[in-house]
């Protein structure tokens, strides 16, 4: 949470004010946090650091921050998601040392900051904010004052800091270098001939370069216009050349491309993203995963949020298709199964970003107990796939909207590909399902074209509601959980998902005239009982919305409105049915005047426990 950026270019190379570039980069990181913004650059004439920062979103504080008049060849920037200290001008980053000759931007948490701050204050350091970050420039200052060079001061500072963090620092005494360190929170370098970048995520600098180095835990160093220096706490200096990777993402992928919001663009991108996933899945990796799964004692699946819902879909497919039950849990709740983890088990960790700290911790806990791990992620070389025994990438392209959309559908496709391959190896005939799965890019495209207008209408209708239910049965339950999460997180409408049969055991008490209930009806054995549940809701004058299979006539009379979807195998249905749910939530948010790309209090990658 929080996005950091830094760039250093050779003198007179930049054709525009560095502030304008920093602003653009920060806009692309805004999904990580948006309660305050700031940047710092070295004014080469006056040989001093200039800091500009303010509470608010980038667009709201652009005038105050005066990006257009910031000229330099070196700058760092930050967009904040508050952890320590409320959103305010003082708590916004960058933070400086006492003499204002060091400025720092930081993402993550310094766990032992209270203790460190106490010591520094006793030595006479003056703190201006309530943040944990501010200890970093003061610690660096202490070491520099004792005669150390910035790189040595950085090394010593790292020995003291505890927590999960990534930060960047500039020093007036090293006018072309940006120093950095990474421990758990993500940090990547962008490499081009005359300018170097560092950022929390690749899209920030993609317009300049697609040559990247993904930093690993315990690495620190500096970038200058013509040099990259990386050292590891444990392994000393690193050979930088071996670490450069060229990524296939294009700058356009990280732009809105004419859509009003990233979320809408990413919903529309799903057919393409699914196609990419299907085409690029690596059979060798799939086979390795399958081998682990079919030879395992127990299967554990873990993730957070939307990825957890994808995990529940996989859980359902594993048991219903293969009779292989799995234990699926929310990553932060790993303690429940900790004693059960053991040699011969397999763990599947699903994370779009590959950096979610709860999922990373769950993975480490499994590994500690000898569990073999399979990571499903969208971000190459991020922490979770890097630490897992087998890494499988969804390759959905960058997802900038905070609400997960294309990454959910591509995660399910990836998981189903693995499960279907396992089924084949266990002698099941899954040819028909597989051929339907391969058609999801086409089917999803048709669904978007045919139903977007209706979804807009339903979204508008739901925008007046205070609360809603999402009901289904079987594999439709995790699908409903995902639909409810989307409505909750971007439209701020309370929404709950329940197995439809369970609604009678309590939740139905909330239903009064016009209470919205969204039903997902799949082509499965639950059809009759689900119709019964719809009738129960209708009898209480609920506003019933149905996502139903095409040619399903009997249920229509009990629905106030419906979207009729292609007849597909229920195991694959979540990939298609979730699309109208995403669109409904999107249009409900827009009708209520909210920005779906930046839901309040949320950040795209959650790197704090
Ligand atoms: C919801 C959403 C979050 C993420 C969750 C896990 O729309 O985006 O619930 O799914 O924070 O993130 P990853 O998949 O990056 O581990």
């Amino acid at each position: 949470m929080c996005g950091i950026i830094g760039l250093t270019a050779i003198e007179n190379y930049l054709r525009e004010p560095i502030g304008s570039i920093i602003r653009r980069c920060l806009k692309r990181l805004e999904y990580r946090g948006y309660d305050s913004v700031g940047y710092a650059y070295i004014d080469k004439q006056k040989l001093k650091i200039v800091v500009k920062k303010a509470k608010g979103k980038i667009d709201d504080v652009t005038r105050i921050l005066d990006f257009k008049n910031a000229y330099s060849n070196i700058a760092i920037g930050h967009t904040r998601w508050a952890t320590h200290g409320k959103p305010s001008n003082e708590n916004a980053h960058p933070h400086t040392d006492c003499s204002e000759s060091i400025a720092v931007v930081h993402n993550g948490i310094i766990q032992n900051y209270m203790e460190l701050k106490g010591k520094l204050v006793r030595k006479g350091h003056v703190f201006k904010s309530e943040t944990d970050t501010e200890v970093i420039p003061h610690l660096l200052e202490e070491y520099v004052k004792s005669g150390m060079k910035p790189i040595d001061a950085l090394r010593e500072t790292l020995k003291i800091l505890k927590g999960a963090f990534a930060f960047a620092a500039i020093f007036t005494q090293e006018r072309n270098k940006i120093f950095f360190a990474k421990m758990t929170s993500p940090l990547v370098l962008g490499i081009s001939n005359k300018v170097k970048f560092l950022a929390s995520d690749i899209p920030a600098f993609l317009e300049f370069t697609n040559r990247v180095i993904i930093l690993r835990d315990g690495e620190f160093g500096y970038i200058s216009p013509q040099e990259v220096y990386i050292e590891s706490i444990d392994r000393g200096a690193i050979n930088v050349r071996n670490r450069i990777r060229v990524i296939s993402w294009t700058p356009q992928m990280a732009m809105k491309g004419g859509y009003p919001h990233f979320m809408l663009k990413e919903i529309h991108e799903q057919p393409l993203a699914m196609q990419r996933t299907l085409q690029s899945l690596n059979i060798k990796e799939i086979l390795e995963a399958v081998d682990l799964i079919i030879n395992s004692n127990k299967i554990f699946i873990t993730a957070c949020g939307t990825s957890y819902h994808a995990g529940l879909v996989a859980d359902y497919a594993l048991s219903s298709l293969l009779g292989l039950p799995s234990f699926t849990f929310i990553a932060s709740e790993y303690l429940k199964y900790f004693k059960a983890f053991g040699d011969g088990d397999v763990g599947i960790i699903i994370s779009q970003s590959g950096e979610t700290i709860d999922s990373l911790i769950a993975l480490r806990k499994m590994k500690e107990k000898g569990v073999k791990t399979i990571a499903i992620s969208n971000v190459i070389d991020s922490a979770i796939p890097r630490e897992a025994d087998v890494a499988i990438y969804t390759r959905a392209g960058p997802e900038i909207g905070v609400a997960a959309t294309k990454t959910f559908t591509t995660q399910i496709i990836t998981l189903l590909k693995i499960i279907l391959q396992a089924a084949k190896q266990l002698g099941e005939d899954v040819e028909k399902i597989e051929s339907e799965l391969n058609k999801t890019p086409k089917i999803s495209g048709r669904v978007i074209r045919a139903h977007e207008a209706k979804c807009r209408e339903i979204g508008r209708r739901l925008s007046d509601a205070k609360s809603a239910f999402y009901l289904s049965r079987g594999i439709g339950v995790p699908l409903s959980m995902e639909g409810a999460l989307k409505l909750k997180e971007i439209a701020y409408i309370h929404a709950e998902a329940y197995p439809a049969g369970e609604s009678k055991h309590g939740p139905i008490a909330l239903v009064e005239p016009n209470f919205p209930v969204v039903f997902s009806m799949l082509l499965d054995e639950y059809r009759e009982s689900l119709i019964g549940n719809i009738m129960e809701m209708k009898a209480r004058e609920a506003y019933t919305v149905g996502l139903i299979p095409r040619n399903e006539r009997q249920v229509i009379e009990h629905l106030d409105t419906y979207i009729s979807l292609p007849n597909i195998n229920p195991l694959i249905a979540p990939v298609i049915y979730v699309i109208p749910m995403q669109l409904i939530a999107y249009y409900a948010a827009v009708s209520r005047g909210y920005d779906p790309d930046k839901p309040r209090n949320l950040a795209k990658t959650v790197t704090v426990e």
Side-chain angles (χ1 to χ4, degrees):
M1 339 208 13
C2 299
I4 64 180
I5 178 75
L7 82 100
T8 168
I10 59 171
E11 298 275 358
N12 304 321
Y13 174 69
L14 302 176
R15 300 251 164 80
E16 56 186 320
I18 199 161
S20 304
I21 301 177
I22 287 284
R23 186 187 181 283
R24 278 208 304 282
C25 297
L26 285 176
K27 273 302 280 178
R28 293 183 211 118
L29 290 173
E30 210 181 6
Y31 69 89
R32 301 180 65 85
Y34 28 83
D35 58 52
S36 21
V37 199
Y39 67 106
Y41 60 95
I42 301 183
D43 180 323
K44 292 292 168 86
Q45 253 106 54
K46 298 187 189 140
L47 292 184
K48 65 171 205 154
I49 291 179
V50 179
V51 174
K52 306 224 169 195
K53 56 187 191 173
K55 177 185 161 194
K57 290 185 184 155
I58 298 172
D59 288 344
D60 301 337
V61 297
T62 292
R63 216 172 29 84
I64 305 170
L65 296 191
D66 198 19
F67 290 102
K68 277 194 194 141
N69 286 311
Y71 288 92
S72 179
N73 67 321
I74 179 165
I76 53 176
H78 189 266
T79 172
R80 181 166 188 249
W81 186 86
T83 55
H84 293 66
K86 60 183 182 301
S88 69
N89 292 346
E90 296 72 35
N91 290 336
H93 297 214
H95 292 285
T96 54
D97 66 324
C98 297
S99 60
E100 307 208 327
S101 53
I102 304 170
V104 170
V105 289
H106 161 229
N107 166 34
I109 284 180
I110 308 297
Q111 262 163 12
N112 56 339
Y113 85 101
M114 289 291 270
E115 178 199 329
L116 295 172
K117 186 169 175 175
K119 284 187 190 159
L120 288 160
V121 167
R122 281 193 291 283
K123 285 187 179 169
H125 288 262
V126 178
F127 281 71
K128 292 170 248 159
S129 77
E130 303 155 332
T131 65
D132 52 342
T133 305
E134 206 182 340
V135 297
I136 304 174
H138 289 283
L139 277 173
L140 292 168
E141 179 186 18
E142 267 299 295
Y143 289 115
V144 168
K145 262 198 323 205
S146 76
M148 282 186 198
K149 285 190 179 152
I151 187 70
D152 301 317
L154 180 63
R155 192 182 298 105
E156 291 310 307
T157 300
L158 280 184
K159 288 184 191 158
I160 299 175
L161 296 178
K162 291 199 182 112
F165 52 80
F167 65 83
I170 49 174
F171 294 69
T172 42
Q173 93 185 69
E174 292 261 26
R175 272 171 265 146
N176 289 319
K177 290 181 182 163
I178 303 180
F179 292 81
F180 59 80
K182 171 197 157 45
M183 186 60 76
T184 309
S185 302
L187 194 60
V188 290
L189 304 182
I191 315 290
S192 93
N193 278 349
K194 295 183 179 160
V195 50
K196 306 281 182 287
F197 289 85
L198 59 78
S200 303
D201 200 358
I202 297 165
F205 53 68
L206 208 48
E207 80 173 279
F208 294 92
T209 180
N210 62 351
R211 296 172 70 226
V212 305
I213 295 178
I214 319 266
L215 292 169
R216 302 189 180 158
D217 288 348
E219 290 184 340
F220 65 99
Y222 60 81
I223 48 174
S224 71
Q226 276 158 331
E227 192 190 1
V228 176
Y229 175 76
I230 309 176
E231 193 177 313
S232 153
I233 291 180
D234 319 312
R235 288 167 290 125
I238 303 284
N239 182 339
V240 169
R241 279 211 180 157
N242 294 344
R243 290 280 296 280
I244 299 180
R245 308 187 54 140
V246 178
I247 53 138
S248 57
W249 295 0
T250 61
Q252 286 68 28
M253 281 176 161
M255 290 173 189
K256 283 190 199 154
Y259 289 93
H261 297 104
F262 279 110
M263 182 177 177
L264 190 62
K265 175 188 175 234
E266 286 157 5
I267 293 172
H268 277 257
E269 249 170 28
Q270 286 180 108
L272 199 69
M274 291 178 196
Q275 190 67 50
R276 231 181 359 243
T277 303
L278 283 163
Q279 277 168 356
S280 54
L281 281 174
N282 178 322
I283 187 67
K284 189 173 147 281
E285 287 158 4
I286 300 261
L287 290 175
E288 275 179 65
V290 167
D291 190 48
L292 289 178
I293 289 170
I294 59 184
N295 293 308
S296 62
N297 293 336
K298 300 189 283 305
I299 303 169
F300 295 100
I301 302 181
T302 194
C304 305
T306 290
S307 298
Y308 169 66
H309 301 153
L312 290 174
V313 169
D315 174 299
Y316 196 92
L318 274 172
S319 13
S320 66
L321 195 65
L322 303 183
L324 293 178
S326 63
F327 302 90
T328 300
F329 61 94
I330 289 174
S332 53
E333 293 290 314
Y334 72 84
L335 271 179
K336 179 179 177 192
Y337 292 113
F338 189 65
K339 272 199 175 159
F341 297 156
D343 265 343
D345 295 339
V346 62
I348 304 176
I349 302 92
I350 309 160
S351 173
Q352 185 285 126
S353 61
E355 300 284 352
T356 299
I357 192 75
D358 291 332
S359 307
L360 184 59
I361 291 173
L363 171 135
R364 288 179 179 161
K365 294 292 171 188
M366 289 188 200
K367 288 191 81 174
E368 204 177 302
K369 301 287 289 291
V371 176
K372 288 274 180 239
T373 50
I374 303 166
I376 311 291
S377 179
N378 190 38
V379 181
I380 310 278
D381 244 10
S382 52
I384 291 171
R386 213 168 51 230
E387 293 193 21
D389 297 296
V390 179
I392 300 186
Y393 291 104
T394 50
R395 296 190 164 83
E399 187 175 72
I400 314 279
V402 166
T405 51
K406 61 177 176 168
T407 57
F408 176 70
T409 44
T410 54
Q411 281 169 345
I412 298 181
I413 288 180
T414 307
L415 288 158
L416 288 178
K417 272 280 178 191
I418 298 171
I419 294 167
L420 293 179
Q421 182 62 37
K424 279 192 248 174
Q425 284 182 220
L426 293 172
E428 300 278 337
D429 177 10
V430 289
E431 207 181 309
K432 194 155 173 285
I433 311 183
E434 190 156 36
S435 114
E436 282 193 34
L437 184 62
N438 292 338
K439 287 187 196 132
T440 48
K442 265 202 186 130
I443 302 176
S444 56
R446 284 206 295 268
V447 166
I448 297 173
R449 285 192 294 280
H451 300 299
E452 182 158 5
K454 187 70 170 276
C455 292
R456 187 183 305 130
E457 209 180 281
I458 299 173
R460 281 190 189 142
R461 173 72 171 70
L462 257 56
S463 68
D464 289 335
K466 291 213 162 45
S467 188
F469 283 158
Y470 280 68
L471 304 183
S472 187
R473 289 177 175 244
I475 204 165
V477 175
L479 163 72
S480 299
M481 290 166 78
E482 179 57 12
L485 176 63
K486 290 288 91 99
L487 192 69
K488 235 182 319 217
E489 67 180 339
I490 59 168
Y492 315 148
I493 296 171
H494 173 253
E496 290 295 334
Y498 277 99
E502 186 65 11
S503 64
K504 301 183 297 291
H505 298 279
I508 200 166
L510 285 178
V511 175
E512 52 189 21
N514 289 323
F515 186 101
V517 187
V518 181
F519 285 95
S520 298
M521 179 184 243
L522 314 183
L523 277 180
D524 58 19
E525 286 158 24
Y526 292 118
R527 181 181 171 277
E528 292 297 330
S529 44
L530 196 75
I531 294 181
N533 299 135
I534 298 174
M535 289 165 71
E536 285 154 18
M537 288 297 171
K538 200 58 231 159
R540 281 150 189 90
E541 295 177 56
Y543 174 69
T544 50
V545 180
L547 307 182
I548 60 172
R550 192 184 303 139
N551 305 332
E552 175 58 68
R553 293 275 153 244
Q554 196 188 331
V555 73
I556 290 175
E557 59 176 302
H558 309 297
L559 293 170
D560 289 295
T561 186
Y562 65 92
I563 291 177
S564 111
L565 293 163
N567 294 336
I568 40 170
N569 188 295
L571 291 185
I572 295 167
V575 176
I576 301 301
Y577 276 55
V578 77
I579 293 173
M581 290 179 169
Q582 296 165 345
L583 285 167
I584 289 170
Y586 171 81
Y587 284 111
V590 171
S591 304
R592 286 163 69 86
Y594 300 127
D595 178 351
D597 284 345
K598 298 187 200 85
R600 69 183 172 215
N601 305 334
L602 293 182
K604 180 109 188 123
T605 311
V606 184
T607 49
V608 290
E609 266 182 81

